[in-house]
């Protein structure tokens, strides 16, 4: 059986404790590899390696670092097929999706930050005719990057690319549920000429290996993407140690559909926003507010679109949805569907597990599910489900739609569908959300600030924001 080993100081190592976690293919339910169960000891060794590598890595010019990171990007592209297959098997997502989105985005993340560092500027301030201030930005040292399972290599590289580009050395942990592509990336980085110790990848459980990264006194910053309650745990540890923290957390994203839209075309896009990647994207719309004037027509069109989201073997090109990431996660999603019914919800489509024939008979598949009749204050409309489940809620006024949309503790992403440009701006400004898409969803420009408000996170990733997070500014004031 394949052993997913730690990558420390340029080499692959078994965990010090000799323990392994089983890694399951969610489309079959079968164990297909073993993941290092790392402890604080493994993390300490990784931090030592990262510390030793920091002086020389941070002393390289931006151009020299850029060249190496561009080579990593290029090699990710060359390994598109094997990385996409690994991602699909590890996560359960359709292979075509991993090939079209996850891996190309990992390649772009590396290339984006590799080139962004060639174009950044610092500022200077003239105070008076005898005084000038100028600002320098320096890398922090060793930083920790912790990522989730839903977009494994995509989000892993979204963190390590700016950290490395800015001159830091990294100890990173992918999710224990989807460690495979980070493991493959380690070899790619070595082959691309990334010096030993600059990137160290440790595997294991969050409360053990992840917590040890957060607790390590020499890790200067933590960039974390994952659940809101995990973010709170990390903040409790890191805040008194005065570490820099970037927290990208959960969401309960509203989709608002006004009465002036093209019903069929919009229903197609709204279904895509709800069910892409099995609804396991932090940005998926999970509460669909629909103008009462088109409610019946829109819901009929949406149900038809949801039913076109064929669930099947992730390796088959015809499968629009694959398996959920784990049995535990599937059970959580099914529990929320049951809860919705207890809360008075009516299932419009889906609402059940799907058992496939053949190779995937033991897989964790759930039908795309739409529910109506649940009040905005119900638990299914307040708590993150993170699966192929969305509720549909009618509204009679813009104010009512906004009140419902803003009624959760989350504020990550929203989408608004209307042909009225004034309303689009007005509603976008009033939404409590870090990201608002108008007549679109998941259109990403890597230069834009990315992150949430309220319990969806602290700080922003993307573009210059990420480079700011991974550097410390220093003002130098000179009088002459
Ligand atoms: P999670 O919080 O369970 O785990 C995320 C990562 O943190 C994993 O690597 C895990 O091992 C680690 N971890 C867990 N406990 C830890 C601890 N005590 N200390 C340090 N590390 C710890 O989240 P998940 O289930 O992997 O991912 C799903 C969640 O991620 C959802 O809530 C989703 O909305 C969120 N998410 C947010 C974004 C965003 O950009 N805001 C993007 C993707 C996913």
């Amino acid at each position: 059986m394949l052993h997913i080993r730690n990558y420390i100081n340029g080499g692959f190592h078994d965990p010090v404790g000799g323990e392994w976690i089983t890694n399951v293919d969610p489309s079959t339910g079968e164990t297909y590899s073993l993941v290092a169960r790392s402890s604080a000891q493994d993390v300490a060794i990784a931090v030592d390696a990262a510390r030793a590598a920091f002086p020389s890595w941070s002393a390289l010019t931006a151009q020299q670092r850029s060249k190496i990171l561009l080579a990593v990007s290029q090699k990710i592209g060359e390994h598109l097929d094997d990385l996409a297959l690994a991602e699909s098997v590890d996560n359960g997502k359709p292979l075509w999706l991993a090939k079209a989105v996850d891996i190309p985005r990992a390649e772009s993340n590396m290339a984006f930050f590799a080139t962004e560092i060639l174009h950044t500027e610092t500022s200077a301030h003239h105070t008076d005719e005898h005084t000038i201030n100028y600002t320098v930005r320096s890398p922090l040292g060793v930083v920790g990057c912790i990522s989730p399972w839903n977009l494994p290599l995509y989000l892993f590289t979204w963190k390590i690319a700016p950290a490395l580009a800015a001159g830091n050395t990294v100890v990173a942990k992918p999710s224990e549920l989807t460690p495979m592509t980070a493991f493959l990336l380690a070899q790619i980085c070595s082959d691309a000429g990334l010096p030993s110790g600059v990137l160290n990848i440790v595997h294991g459980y969050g409360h053990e290996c992840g917590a040890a990264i957060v607790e390590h006194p020499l890790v200067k910053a933590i960039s974390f993407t994952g659940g809101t309650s995990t973010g709170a745990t990390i903040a409790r540890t890191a805040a008194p140690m005065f570490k820099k923290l970037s927290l990208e957390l959960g969401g309960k994203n509203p989709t608002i559909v006004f009465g002036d839209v093209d019903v069929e075309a919009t229903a197609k896009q709204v279904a895509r926003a709800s069910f892409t990647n099995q609804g396991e994207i932090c940005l998926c719309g999970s509460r669909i507010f629909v103008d009462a004037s088109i409610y019946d027509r829109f819901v009929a069109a949406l149900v038809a679109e949801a039913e076109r989201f064929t669930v099947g073997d992730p390796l088959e090109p015809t499968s629009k949805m694959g398996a959920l990431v784990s049995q535990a996660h599937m059970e959580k999603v099914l529990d929320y569907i049951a809860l919705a019914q207890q809360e008075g919800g009516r299932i419009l489509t889906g609402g059940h597990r799907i058992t496939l024939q053949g190779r995937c008979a033991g897989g964790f598949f759930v039908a795309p599910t739409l529910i109506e009749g649940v009040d905005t204050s119900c638990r299914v409309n307040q708590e993150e489900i993170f699966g192929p489940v969305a509720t549909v809620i009618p509204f009679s006024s813009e104010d009512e739609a906004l009140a419902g949309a803003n009624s959760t503790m989350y504020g990550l992403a929203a989408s608004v569908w209307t042909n009225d440009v004034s309303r689009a701006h007005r509603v976008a400004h009033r939404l409590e959300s870090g990201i608002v898409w108008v007549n679109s969803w998941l259109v990403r420009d890597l230069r834009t600030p990315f992150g949430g408000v309220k319990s969806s996170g602290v700080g922003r990733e993307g573009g210059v924001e990420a480079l700011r997070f991974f550097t410390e500014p220093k003002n130098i004031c000179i009088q002459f």
Side-chain angles (χ1 to χ4, degrees):
M1 176 125 2
L2 173 75
H3 284 63
I4 295 181
R5 304 166 81 202
N6 292 331
Y7 175 67
I8 299 175
N9 208 20
F12 290 93
H13 302 276
D14 288 354
V16 172
E19 288 189 64
W20 301 85
I21 304 167
T22 53
N23 187 23
V24 171
D25 171 349
S27 71
T28 62
E30 281 161 24
T31 299
Y32 81 100
S33 61
L34 296 173
V35 189
R37 181 177 172 179
S38 307
S39 64
Q41 268 179 294
D42 300 282
V43 169
I45 297 168
V47 172
D48 284 347
R51 276 186 77 203
F54 178 70
S56 51
W57 179 247
S58 57
L60 294 183
T61 63
Q63 207 143 20
Q64 289 168 320
R65 283 200 300 273
S66 174
K67 217 169 161 186
I68 296 171
L69 296 175
L70 279 173
V72 173
S73 168
Q74 190 183 333
K75 286 206 175 293
I76 292 174
E78 287 164 13
H79 286 274
L80 173 68
D81 288 341
D82 25 311
L83 287 168
L85 179 62
E87 203 73 293
S88 171
V89 171
D90 220 15
N91 170 276
K93 69 178 67 207
L95 175 59
W96 62 263
L97 185 66
K99 223 175 203 174
V101 176
D102 294 73
I103 309 308
R105 175 56 193 276
E107 182 184 352
S108 308
N109 287 340
M110 298 305 299
F112 177 83
F113 288 105
T115 49
E116 189 180 31
I117 52 169
L118 303 178
H119 304 279
T120 49
E121 293 168 351
T122 53
S123 48
H125 302 88
H126 285 254
T127 307
D128 56 43
E129 58 184 317
H130 302 294
T131 316
I132 187 169
N133 295 271
Y134 68 93
T135 308
V136 288
R137 298 199 77 96
S138 310
L140 306 172
V142 180
V143 299
C145 297
I146 302 176
S147 57
W149 49 256
N150 64 321
L151 298 165
L153 194 65
Y154 176 132
L155 290 175
F156 190 76
T157 51
W158 182 232
K159 295 188 175 304
I160 64 166
L164 296 172
N168 302 282
T169 51
V170 174
V171 176
K173 191 191 96 61
S175 169
E176 60 276 25
L177 294 174
T178 53
M180 191 62 193
T181 46
F183 176 62
L184 297 176
L185 180 71
Q187 188 61 52
I188 287 174
C189 288
S190 272
D191 295 347
L194 191 72
S196 297
V198 170
L199 171 65
N200 304 277
I201 303 174
V202 283
H203 298 278
Y205 289 122
H207 66 282
E208 295 174 350
C209 174
I213 297 173
V214 179
E215 285 161 12
H216 198 294
L218 297 176
V219 173
K220 304 285 187 201
I222 299 292
S223 173
F224 169 78
T225 298
T228 291
S229 65
T230 314
T233 304
I234 288 174
R236 268 195 294 277
T237 305
M241 300 175 84
F242 307 110
K243 295 189 183 209
K244 282 186 101 173
L245 264 186
S246 167
L247 301 173
E248 299 293 339
L249 309 176
K252 190 72 184 172
N253 308 310
T255 302
I256 306 180
V257 181
F258 285 99
D260 60 353
V261 299
D262 174 333
V263 166
E264 272 70 32
T266 307
K268 198 181 183 68
Q269 293 306 317
V270 170
R272 191 181 136 255
S274 301
F275 301 124
T276 298
N277 204 48
Q278 302 74 243
E280 295 169 329
I281 302 182
C282 53
L283 307 165
C284 276
S286 56
R287 296 175 299 142
I288 305 165
F289 295 88
V290 183
D291 196 319
S293 66
I294 56 163
Y295 185 82
D296 290 342
R297 264 194 317 135
F298 186 82
V299 169
L302 186 60
V303 167
E305 288 299 336
E307 289 170 356
R308 282 192 197 112
F309 262 75
T310 37
V311 177
D313 183 339
L315 303 184
E316 292 297 332
T318 49
S319 303
K320 285 192 89 177
M321 269 178 36
L324 298 197
V325 73
S326 67
Q327 179 161 1
H329 188 57
M330 175 187 70
E331 284 165 4
K332 176 187 148 184
V333 170
L334 293 172
D335 283 350
Y336 270 111
I337 294 171
L339 175 68
Q341 290 166 289
Q342 288 159 27
E343 288 182 319
R346 288 178 297 283
I347 307 286
L348 295 166
T349 186
H352 53 84
R353 181 177 181 175
I354 288 182
T355 305
L356 300 177
Q357 303 294 312
R359 189 187 86 85
C360 295
F364 313 131
F365 299 89
V366 173
T369 300
L370 290 167
I371 301 166
E372 70 173 359
V374 268
D375 188 79
T376 52
S377 61
C378 284
R379 280 184 57 199
V380 279
N381 274 327
Q382 291 290 321
E383 297 174 16
E384 185 182 44
I385 300 173
F386 213 52
V389 179
T391 58
V392 199
I393 306 155
F395 67 84
S396 313
S397 69
E398 195 175 297
D399 281 346
E400 188 187 350
L402 277 162
N406 289 338
S407 70
T408 73
M409 69 171 186
Y410 295 107
L412 184 54
S415 71
V416 180
W417 300 82
T418 180
N419 285 311
D420 178 339
V421 71
S422 298
R423 177 156 59 198
H425 285 290
R426 196 166 58 233
V427 170
H429 281 265
R430 291 179 65 196
L431 278 164
E432 294 167 1
S433 185
I435 301 155
V436 179
W437 278 290
V438 176
N439 297 331
S440 58
W441 176 74
L442 204 59
V443 178
R444 292 283 292 117
D445 180 324
L446 304 190
R447 294 168 300 178
T448 60
F450 179 91
V453 299
K454 303 199 284 188
S455 299
S456 287
V458 178
R460 292 291 179 274
E461 297 186 318
V464 73
E465 302 279 345
L467 292 181
R468 286 209 177 116
F469 175 74
F470 285 115
T471 54
E472 197 75 83
K474 178 189 287 172
N475 186 64
I476 298 171
C477 176
I478 302 181
Q479 250 180 355
F480 49 92

